[in-house]
């Protein structure tokens, strides 16, 4: 059974999605979205490689920072596991705002 709180959560989610859809529709209909840079980036594979290498560097740097923090608390987690957790965090950070 749904409680009143569940209906409120669903209503909020529906309103947010509706608002986003209306804004996207308005941007597309007014030609406010410019995909020129996206198309340009597909033509240059070096930019994709640079972005991927920067992403790897960011993940490793974050893992090093977490390892330093965890070692101050005397928790032993392997560097491999910390990097894995960093990747999981990056995924959820990108797809669940």
């Amino acid at each position: 059974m749904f409680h009143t709180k569940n209906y409120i959560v669903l209503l909020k989610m529906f309103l947010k999605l509706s608002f986003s859809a209306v804004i996207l529709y308005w941007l597309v209909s007014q030609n406010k979205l410019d995909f020129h840079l996206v198309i340009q980036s597909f033509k240059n594979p070096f930019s994709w490689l640079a972005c991927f290498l920067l992403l790897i560097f960011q993940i490793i740097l974050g893992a090093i920072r977490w390892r330093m923090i965890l070692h101050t608390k005397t928790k032993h987690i392997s560097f491999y596991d910390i990097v894995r957790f960093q990747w999981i965090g990056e995924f959820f950070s990108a797809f669940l705002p």
Side-chain angles (χ1 to χ4, degrees):
M1 287 287 178
F2 282 114
H3 296 5
T4 306
K5 189 173 184 175
N6 290 342
Y7 285 123
I8 293 172
V9 169
L10 288 174
L11 180 64
K12 282 183 184 179
M13 185 171 44
F14 176 74
L15 289 174
K16 289 177 186 178
L17 288 173
S18 299
F19 182 70
S20 299
V22 168
I23 288 176
L24 282 174
Y25 174 75
W26 179 76
L27 287 171
V28 169
S29 67
Q30 298 294 318
N31 291 328
K32 301 280 185 185
L33 288 178
D34 184 18
F35 292 108
H36 179 69
L37 291 176
V38 175
I39 293 168
Q40 216 174 7
S41 73
F42 280 119
K43 293 178 182 177
N44 185 4
F46 177 72
S47 64
W48 284 93
L49 178 65
C51 289
F52 184 72
L53 290 176
L54 285 172
L55 176 68
I56 297 294
F57 179 71
Q58 174 195 354
I59 295 292
I60 291 174
L61 188 64
I64 290 170
R65 289 185 346 204
W66 271 111
R67 187 171 187 217
M68 290 168 62
I69 291 170
L70 290 172
H71 277 289
T72 61
K73 296 291 183 180
T74 65
K75 302 287 183 190
H76 179 68
I77 299 177
S78 70
F79 188 72
Y80 173 77
D81 287 336
I82 296 172
V83 170
R84 258 190 25 205
F85 295 143
Q86 280 290 117
W87 276 108
I88 293 168
E90 284 294 320
F91 172 79
F92 285 113
S93 177
F95 293 104
L96 295 175

